[in-house]
Amino acid sequence: MRPPAEPRVPQGQPIYRGRFAPSPTGPLHLGSLLAAVASYADARSHGGLWVLRIEDLDRLRVVPGASEAIQKTLAAFGFEWDEPVLLQSTRLAAYESALEQLQARGLVYGCVCSRAEIAAQSILGIDGPIYPGTCRQGLPPGRQARSLRLKTTAEPILFQDRIQGEQGHAVAEMVGDFVVRRADGIHAYQLAVVVDDAYQGITHVVRGADLLLSTPRQILLQGYLGLPTPSYAHVPLVLDACGRKLSKSLAALPIDPQDPLPALRLVWRLLGQTPLSGVKSVQSFWKVAISTWRIERVPPRLSAPLGIRPLVKAC
Ligand code: GLU
């Protein structure tokens, strides 16, 4: 006998809670729209909830007004979030308490090393210099700790990404002991994202593939803090006309909140979904999109930045 099909819309408390977590460092661009559309369509097609978190911890990179602009653009593109927006800048006590837990278990240590010292002592891994563990056994005499680092393990951390397939690496080998509180006192993204994904009850993370290499660090932290690990899906990166990653600081032009449909159609196509027919408004886009979304169709990589030139500056 075949097992009964999973109900598409779960009854009662949703078992799916998705999120979008932009950093307010500039306006929304095509790459972030792609991640937002994928995460929203996946959440809604599972009858799930979707929440918005503004990752505004890095005061030096936050652009005044960007958080409001991102929210306005998302609303113009038809996104609806189910809970009040969570600002990471209001969550510092939660990050401190996570650090205290790690400290109590001897899992973090102070580090005096500057960027230049690390660069001089380390070999370069695929995600920057691999910290050689200089301060793990104690600080050099007369020097004050600047940052806090997490003790990592050589055990491989494996996970099944819903788009990228089987993934994993040993964090100790790939990045080494990584920073959880920076020298300027700001809690690191890796720590904050883990604490907040758990706080917001996130069950499914759908985000850009630039964060694929961060995921084992986050799973390691979840294990140390006794927090659940959500399911992960990393959408392909949108490259600019020169094949470089499209980032807010590089070749990205903001998308136009006055005219959302062309960008929505474009990201839908880039996400490998079936062509939309009869879509003339943002509302009808989402109706069709949510009912036809299949994550299995999303390509792990985008082969060429074809057809995105009008939205991306030339190199
Ligand atoms: N705030 C990060 C960014 O804008 C995304 C973090 C995440 O989705 O985990 O790139």
Side-chain angles (χ1 to χ4, degrees):
M1 217 173 74
R2 296 229 324 258
E6 232 183 84
R8 257 189 108 54
V9 180
Q11 303 297 304
Q13 187 70 7
I15 53 164
Y16 186 122
R17 287 177 62 89
R19 50 73 156 182
F20 181 52
S23 306
T25 52
L28 206 67
H29 64 74
L30 198 69
S32 20
L33 180 69
L34 187 101
V37 165
S39 109
Y40 193 74
D42 199 59
R44 295 302 193 214
S45 70
H46 284 84
L49 294 184
W50 191 79
V51 300
L52 185 60
R53 177 166 79 232
I54 299 288
E55 302 209 325
D56 59 348
L57 284 185
D58 193 339
R59 292 184 288 276
L60 296 176
R61 292 185 60 230
V62 166
V63 170
S67 166
E68 294 72 18
I70 289 173
Q71 291 177 54
K72 252 176 104 173
T73 305
L74 287 172
F77 277 74
F79 292 90
E80 289 172 1
W81 40 101
D82 294 297
E83 292 174 6
V85 175
L86 184 70
L87 299 180
Q88 285 196 320
S89 53
T90 64
R91 301 264 307 138
L92 305 188
Y95 311 140
E96 260 323 289
S97 125
L99 278 180
E100 279 163 22
Q101 272 185 60
L102 295 169
Q103 248 155 348
R105 295 183 49 207
L107 293 169
V108 288
Y109 61 88
C111 172
V112 299
C113 302
S114 64
R115 260 175 217 271
E117 284 170 323
I118 295 169
Q121 297 159 4
S122 323
I123 52 167
L124 203 60
I126 48 172
D127 203 26
I130 304 171
Y131 182 67
T134 320
C135 296
R136 206 191 235 242
Q137 306 313 331
L139 304 184
R143 289 189 64 184
Q144 285 280 318
R146 296 156 43 87
S147 59
L148 277 181
R149 286 183 183 271
L150 188 80
K151 289 185 182 164
T152 58
T153 58
E155 197 187 316
I157 296 199
L158 305 173
F159 67 100
Q160 189 66 33
D161 188 277
R162 292 166 69 213
I163 297 170
Q164 306 293 335
E166 198 168 316
Q167 301 292 317
H169 56 249
V171 180
E173 276 162 29
M174 208 195 80
V175 282
D177 296 345
F178 60 89
V179 169
V180 281
R181 194 176 62 209
R182 301 176 357 184
D184 56 10
I186 294 178
H187 298 100
Y189 156 71
Q190 308 289 356
L191 177 79
V193 75
V194 160
V195 170
D196 286 343
D197 279 341
Y199 174 69
Q200 294 189 290
I202 302 305
T203 57
H204 293 71
V205 171
V206 180
R207 62 183 177 190
D210 51 334
L211 294 165
L212 188 60
L213 292 177
S214 286
T215 308
R217 270 169 268 180
Q218 295 172 18
I219 296 176
L220 180 70
L221 267 168
Q222 287 153 1
Y224 282 169
L225 292 166
L227 301 173
T229 293
S231 119
Y232 287 98
H234 288 86
V235 297
L237 294 185
V238 181
L239 305 175
D240 70 9
C242 319
R244 291 173 307 206
K245 185 184 124 184
L246 193 73
S247 75
K248 290 167 202 156
S249 49
L250 191 64
L253 279 182
I255 46 177
D256 183 1
Q258 308 298 328
D259 190 20
L261 267 185
L264 285 172
R265 284 181 188 284
L266 175 57
V267 299
W268 196 246
R269 186 158 65 79
L270 293 173
L271 285 165
Q273 303 299 303
T274 47
L276 301 158
S277 54
V279 163
K280 299 218 161 47
S281 66
V282 169
Q283 288 69 24
S284 62
F285 167 82
W286 281 115
K287 205 159 174 252
V288 178
I290 290 165
S291 62
T292 62
W293 168 257
R294 293 286 177 276
I295 204 164
E296 307 76 54
R297 296 193 186 118
V298 178
R301 271 165 292 282
L302 295 173
S303 44
L306 286 178
I308 63 170
R309 290 208 163 76
L311 288 152
V312 178
K313 273 186 203 160
C315 48

